[in-house]
Amino acid sequence: KYIFRFPKFDAVAQKLRIEHKLLRFLQDRLPVLTPNPQFFSENPRGGPSPFLGYERIQGVSLDTIDLHQDERLEIANQLGAFLHSLHSIPVAEVEVACDLTPDAHGDLEDLEEKLKVIAKHLPHDIAEGCEKVLSEMSRKPQTSEAYALVHRDVYDGNVLVGHPRTVVRAVIDWNDAAILDPAWDFVDLYAGGSDEQFWHKLIMAYGEQNPRGLEERVRYFAFAGNISGRAREIPHGWHREDAPIKRR
C-alpha cells in the first residue's frame, strides 16, 4: 500500500528533501496525480538519511502494456496537456516553495571534454568519428529564455494508466525535477521512438507555437544527455568492448 524511499548518499538525500517539498507543492495543480507525501523524517541520529513515504498510486506503467496506435495518440494528447500545465506553473513560486533554482546548464556542461573521455574507450576507427560529433556540437540551437519546472524523466515507465488503459492517472518519480528549458521534458518521449503522429498530437496538445524550434532543442538535449550519461558510466566499469555502437 505504501512506498518508502531511503537514500544512500548525501546528494541523493538532498534531492529527496527537495522532492518532498515539490510533491507537496504539486498537489491539485496538475491534471494527473502525483505521489502525495504522507511520511517524511530526518534521521534522528543525524547523517544523510531522511526517508519519504507515500501511498502507492493504483495503475500500471505504459512500458508494461502494448497499445494500439489510436490508444497511443490518446495518451499523447493527455501528456501534452500535462506538460502544458506543469510548465505553466510560475517559476517564482517553485523557487520559494521547493528550494529549486534555475539550472542554466542541465547536461550541457563540458560536452567536448566528456566526448573526449568517451573516445578513449572506443575502438580507434569509431573514435575518429568523434571529430564529426564535435563539429555537430558547435551548432547548438537557441535555448528557450522562458525556463519552467520540468519533470525531466517523462517516459513510459513513469506514466501510470488506469481503466480504461488510455486514461493517464499519474506521473511518478520526480527525483530529477529541475527548473530548465521546457524542451527537456520532451527528450525521453522523442528518443523513445515516438512516431510522427504521436509527436504531432503531443505538440498540438501542448500548444507549442514553434514546433520546429522545440524539436531542434529536444534533439540536441537528447544528444547531450547521452554523452553525459556515457561519461558518467566510465568510472564504474564501462569499457571499450561495451561500447554501444554498431559498425555499419
Side-chain angles (χ1 to χ4, degrees):
K1 184 177 180 180
Y2 293 98
I3 294 175
F4 288 91
R5 295 169 54 197
F6 300 85
K8 295 182 179 180
F9 308 104
D10 289 349
V12 180
Q14 181 57 24
K15 292 180 71 172
L16 190 68
R17 294 183 183 100
I18 293 174
E19 184 179 4
H20 168 237
K21 294 178 181 180
L22 177 63
L23 291 175
R24 290 173 60 88
F25 173 79
L26 288 176
Q27 297 306 306
D28 301 320
R29 289 177 177 263
L30 298 171
V32 301
L33 297 175
T34 58
N36 186 5
Q38 298 181 30
F39 308 98
F40 181 82
S41 179
E42 295 287 348
N43 187 339
R45 299 178 180 178
S49 300
F51 74 86
L52 175 65
Y54 44 80
E55 190 170 353
R56 181 188 296 272
I57 299 174
Q58 296 300 313
V60 296
S61 60
L62 279 178
D63 62 349
T64 63
I65 58 177
D66 292 322
L67 296 175
H68 301 301
Q69 178 67 358
D70 58 337
E71 294 176 313
R72 289 286 297 173
L73 295 181
E74 288 189 50
I75 296 295
N77 191 57
Q78 294 169 75
L79 289 179
F82 156 71
L83 290 175
H84 176 80
S85 295
L86 177 64
H87 298 165
S88 297
I89 296 174
V91 167
E93 293 183 21
V94 179
E95 291 184 77
V96 172
C98 308
D99 292 335
L100 277 173
T101 56
D103 182 350
H105 301 289
D107 276 333
L108 302 182
E109 287 187 293
D110 304 321
L111 281 184
E112 185 173 345
E113 293 303 316
K114 291 174 182 176
L115 192 58
K116 289 178 180 178
V117 170
I118 293 172
K120 294 177 181 178
H121 295 263
L122 294 173
H124 297 299
D125 56 335
I126 297 178
E128 291 176 358
C130 288
E131 293 182 6
K132 180 180 179 180
V133 177
L134 285 171
S135 67
E136 292 290 331
M137 289 168 52
S138 65
R139 294 194 288 271
K140 176 183 175 182
Q142 179 66 41
T143 57
S144 173
E145 295 181 0
Y147 277 19
L149 172 63
V150 299
H151 178 284
R152 210 179 174 192
D153 198 15
V154 182
Y155 82 107
D156 285 0
N158 283 334
V159 177
L160 302 184
V161 296
H163 299 287
R165 63 183 190 171
T166 54
V167 174
V168 176
R169 294 208 71 227
V171 175
I172 60 173
D173 195 359
W174 290 77
N175 191 53
D176 290 325
I179 297 175
L180 283 168
D181 184 325
W184 280 104
D185 266 342
F186 295 86
V187 168
D188 288 325
L189 294 171
Y190 186 90
S194 61
D195 58 39
E196 186 174 342
Q197 281 187 300
F198 182 95
W199 182 255
H200 178 73
K201 192 77 169 181
L202 178 71
I203 299 305
M204 289 291 292
Y206 181 69
E208 174 59 40
Q209 300 301 310
N210 182 14
R212 179 168 295 183
L214 175 65
E215 184 171 345
E216 288 178 357
R217 296 183 348 252
V218 169
R219 288 170 61 90
Y220 186 83
F221 293 163
F223 165 77
N226 191 39
I227 293 296
S228 295
R230 294 305 178 190
R232 285 193 296 268
E233 290 173 7
I234 288 175
H236 303 288
W238 186 70
H239 300 294
R240 181 171 303 186
E241 57 269 22
D242 301 320
I245 299 178
K246 295 181 179 179
R247 304 176 193 276
R248 295 182 181 274

mmCIF file of all heavy atoms in Angstrom, residues 136-156:
data_model
loop_
_atom_site.group_PDB
_atom_site.id
_atom_site.type_symbol
_atom_site.label_atom_id
_atom_site.label_comp_id
_atom_site.label_asym_id
_atom_site.label_seq_id
_atom_site.Cartn_x
_atom_site.Cartn_y
_atom_site.Cartn_z
ATOM 1 N N GLU A 136 29.329 18.852 -34.836
ATOM 2 C CA GLU A 136 27.879 18.972 -34.690
ATOM 3 C C GLU A 136 27.531 19.738 -33.415
ATOM 4 O O GLU A 136 26.569 20.504 -33.372
ATOM 5 C CB GLU A 136 27.227 17.581 -34.650
ATOM 6 C CG GLU A 136 27.291 16.823 -35.960
ATOM 7 C CD GLU A 136 26.384 17.441 -37.008
ATOM 8 O OE1 GLU A 136 25.357 18.046 -36.629
ATOM 9 O OE2 GLU A 136 26.704 17.331 -38.198
ATOM 10 N N MET A 137 28.320 19.524 -32.378
ATOM 11 C CA MET A 137 28.061 20.185 -31.098
ATOM 12 C C MET A 137 28.188 21.694 -31.198
ATOM 13 O O MET A 137 27.583 22.433 -30.419
ATOM 14 C CB MET A 137 29.030 19.663 -30.029
ATOM 15 C CG MET A 137 28.744 18.246 -29.588
ATOM 16 S SD MET A 137 30.111 17.571 -28.614
ATOM 17 C CE MET A 137 30.337 18.836 -27.388
ATOM 18 N N SER A 138 28.981 22.169 -32.138
ATOM 19 C CA SER A 138 29.174 23.614 -32.274
ATOM 20 C C SER A 138 27.918 24.299 -32.786
ATOM 21 O O SER A 138 27.771 25.516 -32.665
ATOM 22 C CB SER A 138 30.347 23.902 -33.222
ATOM 23 O OG SER A 138 30.046 23.461 -34.543
ATOM 24 N N ARG A 139 26.988 23.518 -33.342
ATOM 25 C CA ARG A 139 25.744 24.086 -33.862
ATOM 26 C C ARG A 139 24.614 23.927 -32.845
ATOM 27 O O ARG A 139 23.558 23.387 -33.128
ATOM 28 C CB ARG A 139 25.391 23.421 -35.195
ATOM 29 C CG ARG A 139 26.386 23.736 -36.291
ATOM 30 C CD ARG A 139 25.848 23.367 -37.652
ATOM 31 N NE ARG A 139 25.788 21.937 -37.863
ATOM 32 C CZ ARG A 139 26.790 21.221 -38.355
ATOM 33 N NH1 ARG A 139 27.935 21.810 -38.667
ATOM 34 N NH2 ARG A 139 26.669 19.923 -38.549
ATOM 35 N N LYS A 140 24.865 24.390 -31.662
ATOM 36 C CA LYS A 140 23.880 24.313 -30.578
ATOM 37 C C LYS A 140 22.682 25.210 -30.898
ATOM 38 O O LYS A 140 22.856 26.376 -31.250
ATOM 39 C CB LYS A 140 24.530 24.754 -29.269
ATOM 40 C CG LYS A 140 23.579 24.804 -28.092
ATOM 41 C CD LYS A 140 24.307 25.314 -26.854
ATOM 42 C CE LYS A 140 23.357 25.501 -25.690
ATOM 43 N NZ LYS A 140 24.047 26.042 -24.496
ATOM 44 N N PRO A 141 21.451 24.690 -30.777
ATOM 45 C CA PRO A 141 20.278 25.517 -31.066
ATOM 46 C C PRO A 141 20.055 26.570 -29.983
ATOM 47 O O PRO A 141 20.546 26.449 -28.867
ATOM 48 C CB PRO A 141 19.133 24.490 -31.080
ATOM 49 C CG PRO A 141 19.602 23.404 -30.165
ATOM 50 C CD PRO A 141 21.096 23.325 -30.392
ATOM 51 N N GLN A 142 19.288 27.581 -30.322
ATOM 52 C CA GLN A 142 18.942 28.623 -29.362
ATOM 53 C C GLN A 142 18.012 28.041 -28.305
ATOM 54 O O GLN A 142 16.952 27.502 -28.626
ATOM 55 C CB GLN A 142 18.248 29.787 -30.073
ATOM 56 C CG GLN A 142 17.829 30.920 -29.149
ATOM 57 C CD GLN A 142 19.027 31.635 -28.541
ATOM 58 O OE1 GLN A 142 20.007 31.870 -29.235
ATOM 59 N NE2 GLN A 142 18.939 31.966 -27.269
ATOM 60 N N THR A 143 18.402 28.103 -27.044
ATOM 61 C CA THR A 143 17.572 27.555 -25.979
ATOM 62 C C THR A 143 16.497 28.557 -25.592
ATOM 63 O O THR A 143 16.588 29.750 -25.875
ATOM 64 C CB THR A 143 18.402 27.198 -24.740
ATOM 65 O OG1 THR A 143 19.100 28.371 -24.297
ATOM 66 C CG2 THR A 143 19.396 26.101 -25.068
ATOM 67 N N SER A 144 15.469 28.049 -24.928
ATOM 68 C CA SER A 144 14.360 28.903 -24.513
ATOM 69 C C SER A 144 14.807 29.839 -23.404
ATOM 70 O O SER A 144 15.532 29.448 -22.494
ATOM 71 C CB SER A 144 13.192 28.039 -24.035
ATOM 72 O OG SER A 144 12.171 28.838 -23.475
ATOM 73 N N GLU A 145 14.360 31.084 -23.496
ATOM 74 C CA GLU A 145 14.652 32.037 -22.426
ATOM 75 C C GLU A 145 13.655 31.898 -21.282
ATOM 76 O O GLU A 145 13.894 32.391 -20.182
ATOM 77 C CB GLU A 145 14.615 33.464 -22.983
ATOM 78 C CG GLU A 145 15.703 33.742 -24.022
ATOM 79 C CD GLU A 145 15.653 35.164 -24.526
ATOM 80 O OE1 GLU A 145 14.771 35.915 -24.057
ATOM 81 O OE2 GLU A 145 16.483 35.516 -25.377
ATOM 82 N N ALA A 146 12.531 31.249 -21.543
ATOM 83 C CA ALA A 146 11.490 31.066 -20.531
ATOM 84 C C ALA A 146 11.643 29.700 -19.878
ATOM 85 O O ALA A 146 11.173 28.691 -20.398
ATOM 86 C CB ALA A 146 10.114 31.207 -21.167
ATOM 87 N N TYR A 147 12.349 29.652 -18.761
ATOM 88 C CA TYR A 147 12.527 28.395 -18.053
ATOM 89 C C TYR A 147 11.230 27.988 -17.357
ATOM 90 O O TYR A 147 10.354 28.818 -17.111
ATOM 91 C CB TYR A 147 13.648 28.527 -17.025
ATOM 92 C CG TYR A 147 15.034 28.338 -17.614
ATOM 93 C CD1 TYR A 147 15.259 28.457 -18.971
ATOM 94 C CD2 TYR A 147 16.116 28.036 -16.791
ATOM 95 C CE1 TYR A 147 16.517 28.285 -19.501
ATOM 96 C CE2 TYR A 147 17.386 27.875 -17.319
ATOM 97 C CZ TYR A 147 17.587 28.002 -18.674
ATOM 98 O OH TYR A 147 18.827 27.827 -19.200
ATOM 99 N N ALA A 148 11.135 26.705 -17.037
ATOM 100 C CA ALA A 148 9.934 26.172 -16.405
ATOM 101 C C ALA A 148 10.314 25.038 -15.465
ATOM 102 O O ALA A 148 11.434 24.511 -15.516
ATOM 103 C CB ALA A 148 8.954 25.665 -17.470
ATOM 104 N N LEU A 149 9.381 24.685 -14.595
ATOM 105 C CA LEU A 149 9.549 23.479 -13.793
ATOM 106 C C LEU A 149 9.396 22.280 -14.718
ATOM 107 O O LEU A 149 8.374 22.137 -15.393
ATOM 108 C CB LEU A 149 8.491 23.422 -12.688
ATOM 109 C CG LEU A 149 8.430 22.110 -11.893
ATOM 110 C CD1 LEU A 149 9.726 21.855 -11.133
ATOM 111 C CD2 LEU A 149 7.240 22.130 -10.935
ATOM 112 N N VAL A 150 10.416 21.429 -14.782
ATOM 113 C CA VAL A 150 10.361 20.242 -15.637
ATOM 114 C C VAL A 150 10.528 18.983 -14.792
ATOM 115 O O VAL A 150 11.257 18.979 -13.803
ATOM 116 C CB VAL A 150 11.438 20.282 -16.747
ATOM 117 C CG1 VAL A 150 11.231 21.484 -17.644
ATOM 118 C CG2 VAL A 150 12.839 20.279 -16.162
ATOM 119 N N HIS A 151 9.836 17.942 -15.194
ATOM 120 C CA HIS A 151 9.949 16.640 -14.537
ATOM 121 C C HIS A 151 11.283 15.998 -14.875
ATOM 122 O O HIS A 151 11.960 15.420 -14.050
ATOM 123 C CB HIS A 151 8.791 15.748 -14.987
ATOM 124 C CG HIS A 151 8.801 14.365 -14.431
ATOM 125 N ND1 HIS A 151 9.649 13.380 -14.901
ATOM 126 C CD2 HIS A 151 8.072 13.793 -13.447
ATOM 127 C CE1 HIS A 151 9.425 12.251 -14.224
ATOM 128 N NE2 HIS A 151 8.477 12.477 -13.339
ATOM 129 N N ARG A 152 11.638 16.060 -16.135
ATOM 130 C CA ARG A 152 12.912 15.651 -16.708
ATOM 131 C C ARG A 152 13.094 14.144 -16.855
ATOM 132 O O ARG A 152 14.173 13.676 -17.203
ATOM 133 C CB ARG A 152 14.079 16.235 -15.903
ATOM 134 C CG ARG A 152 15.298 16.484 -16.767
ATOM 135 C CD ARG A 152 16.422 17.087 -15.977
ATOM 136 N NE ARG A 152 17.594 17.183 -16.809
ATOM 137 C CZ ARG A 152 18.811 17.463 -16.356
ATOM 138 N NH1 ARG A 152 19.001 17.660 -15.079
ATOM 139 N NH2 ARG A 152 19.824 17.538 -17.171
ATOM 140 N N ASP A 153 12.054 13.378 -16.588
ATOM 141 C CA ASP A 153 12.158 11.929 -16.811
ATOM 142 C C ASP A 153 10.799 11.381 -17.239
ATOM 143 O O ASP A 153 10.344 10.343 -16.744
ATOM 144 C CB ASP A 153 12.642 11.239 -15.532
ATOM 145 C CG ASP A 153 13.181 9.831 -15.792
ATOM 146 O OD1 ASP A 153 13.453 9.501 -16.966
ATOM 147 O OD2 ASP A 153 13.317 9.056 -14.830
ATOM 148 N N VAL A 154 10.160 12.102 -18.167
ATOM 149 C CA VAL A 154 8.842 11.688 -18.649
ATOM 150 C C VAL A 154 9.023 10.626 -19.729
ATOM 151 O O VAL A 154 9.361 10.934 -20.872
ATOM 152 C CB VAL A 154 8.042 12.884 -19.203
ATOM 153 C CG1 VAL A 154 6.654 12.425 -19.664
ATOM 154 C CG2 VAL A 154 7.906 13.973 -18.149
ATOM 155 N N TYR A 155 8.842 9.396 -19.348
ATOM 156 C CA TYR A 155 8.898 8.281 -20.306
ATOM 157 C C TYR A 155 7.870 7.251 -19.857
ATOM 158 O O TYR A 155 7.242 7.386 -18.797
ATOM 159 C CB TYR A 155 10.306 7.700 -20.393
ATOM 160 C CG TYR A 155 10.665 6.704 -19.311
ATOM 161 C CD1 TYR A 155 10.766 5.342 -19.600
ATOM 162 C CD2 TYR A 155 10.872 7.118 -17.991
ATOM 163 C CE1 TYR A 155 11.079 4.426 -18.602
ATOM 164 C CE2 TYR A 155 11.193 6.210 -17.007
ATOM 165 C CZ TYR A 155 11.297 4.868 -17.315
ATOM 166 O OH TYR A 155 11.599 3.966 -16.330
ATOM 167 N N ASP A 156 7.665 6.210 -20.668
ATOM 168 C CA ASP A 156 6.575 5.267 -20.422
ATOM 169 C C ASP A 156 6.615 4.645 -19.029
ATOM 170 O O ASP A 156 5.576 4.362 -18.430
ATOM 171 C CB ASP A 156 6.603 4.155 -21.474
ATOM 172 C CG ASP A 156 6.090 4.625 -22.825
ATOM 173 O OD1 ASP A 156 5.719 5.818 -22.930
ATOM 174 O OD2 ASP A 156 6.070 3.824 -23.777
#
